[in-house]
Amino acid sequence: MASKLEIKSRIRSVDSTMKITRAMQLVAASKLKRCKVRMEENREYASYLKESFDSILARLSDSTHPYLTHEEGKPSLIIVYTSDMGLCGGYNANTLRLLEESVKADDRLIVLGSRGSAWLRRRDYHVVNALHNVDEEGYEEIGSLAQQALQMYANKEIRSIQVLYTKFVNSMTFEPRLETLLPVEKKEADSSNKQIMIFEPAGDTILDTLIPQFLKSMLYSCWLETKSSEQGSRQNAMENATDNAEELKEQLELSFNQARQAAITQEITEIVGGANAL
């Protein structure tokens, strides 16, 4: 059995760790609240934009716009969202596991977050860009990233643009997803809707502006989902770490009391033994 001094030292160490994890849990909870507000506000805008976008595409049945076609035999571009910090449970591991299952040898990758960047550097993947320490809002960085992806698509360097992100379901559930943003899959027009939509400029011309706006909006929406998931996962991880530290501290305190009781019993036994010897 460990000595009382060793147990007491471990108790102090666990108590110090518990204070750190509890503080990180509170910080993550505060950031999660802020991220969720931004994410939910953007969800409504992104939903209406996608609905309008699908409606316009359904009325362009004979469109040959380059953003709606893809080059066979070309690699895909996958934009991967990870975190810059650790201590967030299986958040990054789940994302990178899905990437490993989905990526092909010749695919191009753009990664956001130092965790994903470090993981990819240790493996033989074709990374064309890596961004670190992107702000929680990250609107400007996502905008420039969308422009880079569109330029590669317009130059026929890639056949599709995909995004790998973590969907925020609720405060306990986060799902890594891989979605294709370009080329856009056109949906059939709703035959039950008798309204006539007139949009300007007409024909493929509107897609020159609409598709870049759509891509930027979807990438930004996925980014907000990812950041909310990161903070939610970190809050849960730190809460579990705090609970485990409390349980370990209780066990160590019990061991300390047992060791102290054993020492007292031994001293009493020695005293009694010495008295009997006299």
Side-chain angles (χ1 to χ4, degrees):
M1 179 182 293
S3 67
K4 290 190 295 181
L5 287 176
E6 290 174 343
I7 297 175
K8 200 168 185 178
S9 175
R10 288 192 63 191
I11 290 174
R12 286 196 298 267
S13 176
V14 170
D15 191 53
S16 176
T17 301
M18 187 168 59
K19 290 178 181 177
I20 295 173
T21 56
R22 183 178 288 113
M24 294 185 68
Q25 176 188 346
L26 295 174
V27 170
S30 176
K31 289 185 176 181
L32 173 60
K33 184 177 180 180
R34 185 168 62 248
C35 288
K36 279 182 66 177
V37 170
R38 193 180 298 119
M39 176 193 69
E40 289 167 355
E41 289 175 347
N42 181 78
R43 266 182 178 176
E44 186 174 0
Y45 167 77
S47 176
Y48 280 120
L49 177 61
K50 191 172 190 312
E51 182 180 336
S52 300
F53 185 64
D54 289 341
S55 180
I56 291 174
L57 281 184
R59 288 164 171 78
L60 296 174
S61 57
D62 58 345
S63 174
T64 57
H65 196 281
Y67 286 148
L68 303 181
T69 61
H70 66 277
E71 293 289 323
E72 292 291 347
K74 297 290 185 178
S76 294
L77 174 67
I78 303 177
I79 299 168
V80 186
Y81 291 156
T82 63
S83 70
D84 287 299
M85 298 175 58
L87 300 176
C88 48
Y91 166 79
N92 287 309
N94 293 334
T95 298
L96 296 173
R97 186 180 302 113
L98 179 58
L99 174 64
E100 198 168 22
E101 294 171 357
S102 307
V103 70
K104 297 179 181 178
D106 61 341
D107 284 343
R108 307 295 189 261
L109 300 176
I110 295 178
V111 58
L112 278 74
S114 59
R115 295 288 167 168
S117 179
W119 186 87
L120 289 169
R121 276 200 306 269
R122 297 192 296 269
R123 291 160 177 82
D124 189 22
Y125 290 111
H126 194 149
V127 179
V128 297
N129 194 4
L131 301 179
H132 300 163
N133 300 317
V134 179
D135 189 72
E136 286 179 2
E137 294 186 13
Y139 189 75
E140 295 299 328
E141 291 87 346
I142 298 299
S144 61
L145 186 151
Q147 289 296 329
Q148 179 184 0
L150 282 171
Q151 188 63 45
M152 294 177 66
Y153 196 92
N155 293 341
K156 301 186 184 303
E157 299 175 25
I158 54 177
R159 73 169 183 270
S160 65
I161 299 175
Q162 299 175 303
V163 59
L164 177 55
Y165 72 104
T166 304
K167 175 75 173 178
F168 184 90
V169 180
N170 54 52
S171 298
M172 299 295 294
T173 307
F174 322 101
E175 298 178 354
R177 293 186 179 181
L178 179 63
E179 295 185 2
T180 300
L181 301 180
L182 282 182
V184 180
E185 182 181 352
K186 293 193 290 184
K187 298 181 179 180
E188 296 295 331
D190 186 1
S191 58
S192 63
N193 187 357
K194 304 300 181 181
Q195 294 180 343
I196 299 176
M197 176 181 289
I198 300 174
F199 49 86
E200 293 288 347
D204 284 357
T205 307
I206 194 173
L207 298 180
D208 293 334
T209 302
L210 187 59
I211 288 182
Q213 182 181 355
F214 168 78
L215 180 65
K216 184 176 181 180
S217 174
M218 292 299 103
L219 286 175
Y220 185 61
S221 179
C222 293
W223 174 251
L224 295 180
E225 295 271 354
T226 296
K227 298 308 289 183
S228 297
S229 299
E230 177 188 342
Q231 299 303 334
S233 183
R234 181 171 290 112
Q235 178 188 357
N236 293 337
M238 292 300 99
E239 183 179 2
N240 292 335
T242 302
D243 293 342
N244 292 337
E246 287 179 349
E247 183 179 347
L248 179 58
K249 183 181 177 182
E250 291 175 0
Q251 293 174 356
L252 289 171
E253 287 176 343
L254 178 61
S255 299
F256 178 79
N257 291 334
Q258 290 174 341
R260 184 175 61 178
Q261 184 178 3
I264 293 172
T265 302
Q266 183 179 356
E267 289 177 3
I268 293 175
T269 302
E270 291 174 352
I271 292 171
V272 172
N276 289 337
L278 295 175

